[in-house]
């Protein structure tokens, strides 16, 4: 009964009133017709009987068509809009993953999650050393440089950073990291401000509140000035401060990558370029 009431209330008011009027007229005509049929009145009024019978059928048929077809049309429109929202979510998730992995030599977003977590553990162990171990730092940056995929080097004489000081002075690398950062920020903003409200509107799956909040925080703090950007270190910072900045960067990267991985599980395929026709 509750579903029937919701179904009736969701019908446009004009259609409801028109249907009620036709049903009342149809019921009156049907009752009158049956009574006249019992008295034999229709025997000398064949054409009128056919006309009244047709109009009675019309009074019942039109409301049925209006009520059923209007809801079928609404259901089709809702399905079409839901499909568009799902397609938008797939596209947004795909583009966010592409933005995140753009500068890294990884196979997919899951690989980036694993590599970022491993590098974060490495830099944490590095920071726990009592004295700066040059060989440990060199080993870390060899792995870190292998993780990055920034394209052709500016010149044959270019050497990859082998320490935190080298990294902070590498302007060529920072320009590419900065471009990547802008792209990641832009795609996250699209997910947060455009895609998320749309999927909530159509009750499609999305991030749970806690992972969503972590992702939002990581996106806001990624490469932030003041100690979270190993390419842009503050004046007077120590090697320990530089290591902490690298750990912050890898943590934010790990959170964002895990967030993208969760979203890719919800929307695993690349979206089609077109929506279903109206």
């Amino acid at each position: 009964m509750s579903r029937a009431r919701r179904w009736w209330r969701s019908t446009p008011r004009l259609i409801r009133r028109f249907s009620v009027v036709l049903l009342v007229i149809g019921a009156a005509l049907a009752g009158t017709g049956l009574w006249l049929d019992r008295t034999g009145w229709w025997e000398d009024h064949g054409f009128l009987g056919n006309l009244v019978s047709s109009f009675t059928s019309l009074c019942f048929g039109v409301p049925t068509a209006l009520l059923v077809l209007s809801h079928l049309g609404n259901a089709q429109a809702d399905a079409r809009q839901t499909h568009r929202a799902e397609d938008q979510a797939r596209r947004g998730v795909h583009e966010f993953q592409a933005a995140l992995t753009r500068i890294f030599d990884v196979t997919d977003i899951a690989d980036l999650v694993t590599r970022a977590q491993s590098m974060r553990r490495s830099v944490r162990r590095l920071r726990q050393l009592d004295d700066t171990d040059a060989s440990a730092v060199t080993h870390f940056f060899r792995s870190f440089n292998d993780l990055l995929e920034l394209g052709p080097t500016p010149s044959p004489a270019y050497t990859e950073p082998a320490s935190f000081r080298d990294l902070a002075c590498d302007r060529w690398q920072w320009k590419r990291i900065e471009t990547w950062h802008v792209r990641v920020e832009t795609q996250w903003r699209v997910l947060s401000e455009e895609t998320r409200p749309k999927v909530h509107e159509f009750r499609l799956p999305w991030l749970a509140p806690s992972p969503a909040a972590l992702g939002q925080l990581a996106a806001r703090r990624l490469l932030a000035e003041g100690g979270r950007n190993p390419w842009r270190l503050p004046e007077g910072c120590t090697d320990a401060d530089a290591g902490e900045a690298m750990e912050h960067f890898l943590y934010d990267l790990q959170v964002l990558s895990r967030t993208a991985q969760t979203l890719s599980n919800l929307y695993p395929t690349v979206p089609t370029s077109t929506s279903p026709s109206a």
Side-chain angles (χ1 to χ4, degrees):
M1 291 298 294
S2 61
R3 289 184 178 179
R5 283 195 296 269
R6 287 197 300 269
W7 178 80
W8 176 252
R9 290 171 182 171
S10 65
T11 305
R13 181 177 299 179
L14 182 61
I15 293 179
R16 283 186 292 171
R17 290 179 176 178
F18 185 62
S19 299
V20 168
V21 171
L22 287 179
L23 289 173
V24 170
I25 294 174
L29 289 175
T32 303
L34 290 173
W35 178 72
L36 292 176
D37 189 52
R38 293 184 61 185
T39 62
W41 187 83
W42 295 115
E43 294 179 2
D44 297 329
H45 303 82
F47 176 76
L48 181 60
N50 291 333
L51 187 63
V52 172
S53 177
S54 299
F55 186 68
T56 304
S57 299
L58 187 68
C59 288
F60 287 106
V62 168
T64 301
L66 286 174
L67 293 172
V68 174
L69 294 180
S70 65
H71 282 279
L72 288 177
N74 291 337
Q76 185 180 15
D78 289 343
R80 193 160 50 240
Q81 291 176 352
T82 301
H83 179 85
R84 290 189 183 125
E86 186 176 5
D87 190 69
Q88 178 181 345
R90 293 180 190 278
R91 182 177 294 106
V93 170
H94 174 72
E95 292 176 354
F96 181 57
Q97 287 186 73
L100 270 176
T101 58
R102 187 178 183 86
I103 63 166
F104 298 106
D105 185 17
V106 293
T107 56
D108 53 24
I109 197 67
D111 189 21
L112 181 56
V113 172
T114 302
R115 299 280 294 277
Q117 186 175 10
S118 176
M119 294 298 300
R120 182 173 169 236
R121 284 197 295 262
S122 297
V123 77
R124 184 183 298 169
R125 287 193 297 267
L126 192 65
R127 291 180 57 209
Q128 290 173 349
L129 297 176
D130 293 335
D131 299 318
T132 302
D133 187 336
S135 62
V137 173
T138 301
H139 177 74
F140 169 80
F141 273 94
R142 187 180 298 118
S143 300
F144 185 69
N145 291 329
D146 289 340
L147 176 62
L148 293 177
E149 182 62 54
L150 301 177
T153 57
S155 69
Y158 173 81
T159 57
E160 294 178 330
S163 68
F164 292 112
R165 295 292 176 183
D166 293 343
L167 186 70
C169 296
D170 196 325
R171 296 186 178 276
W172 174 81
Q173 194 173 109
W174 166 242
K175 287 182 179 179
R176 281 144 187 81
I177 297 296
E178 187 177 29
T179 301
W180 167 82
H181 183 212
V182 171
R183 186 176 287 110
V184 170
E185 278 189 324
T186 300
Q187 293 304 324
W188 177 261
R189 193 176 301 114
V190 170
L191 285 179
S192 299
E193 299 177 6
E194 298 179 19
T195 305
R196 182 182 57 83
K198 185 66 67 174
V199 299
H200 284 334
E201 178 183 354
F202 292 97
R203 298 181 181 180
L204 293 171
W206 196 246
L207 295 169
S210 181
L214 284 176
Q216 185 68 35
L217 183 61
R220 189 173 71 247
R221 298 193 306 186
L222 179 67
L223 294 175
E225 298 291 340
R228 301 188 72 90
N229 186 343
W231 287 271
R232 305 284 289 179
L233 296 174
E235 290 291 336
C237 72
T238 63
D239 288 340
D241 296 330
E244 184 178 3
M246 175 62 77
E247 186 174 358
H248 284 317
F249 165 70
L250 292 171
Y251 172 75
D252 294 334
L253 177 64
Q254 179 185 340
V255 170
L256 288 174
S257 302
R258 187 178 289 119
T259 301
Q261 185 181 25
T262 303
L263 289 172
S264 69
N265 292 333
L266 297 176
Y267 300 95
T269 59
V270 179
T272 58
S273 57
T274 57
S275 298
S277 58

